[in-house]
Amino acid sequence: MDTVLGGLRQSLRSLGRSPGFTLMCVLMLAVGIGASTALFSVVEGVLLRPLPYPRPGAARAR
C-alpha cells in the first residue's frame, strides 16, 4: 500500500510541475468520456430501445 501511495504522490508532483501537460491530459480525458457517453446514448436510443409500435406483428397479418 505504501508503494501505491508513493507512486501516486510522485505522479501528482510531476503533474504539478508541468501545468500544460496536466491541462492536456484533463482535456483529453474529458473529450474521451464525452465521446463515449454520446456514442452510448446513440446506440442505446437507436439499437437497444424497442420501437414505439403497439403491435409490431399486426401489420403483416393481413
Side-chain angles (χ1 to χ4, degrees), residues 21 29 49 62:
F21 179 71
L29 277 171
R49 188 172 294 169
R62 283 183 162 185

Side-chain angles (χ1 to χ4, degrees), residues 9 26-27 35-36 38 42 46 59:
R9 277 191 218 110
V26 170
L27 286 175
S36 297
V42 168
V46 172

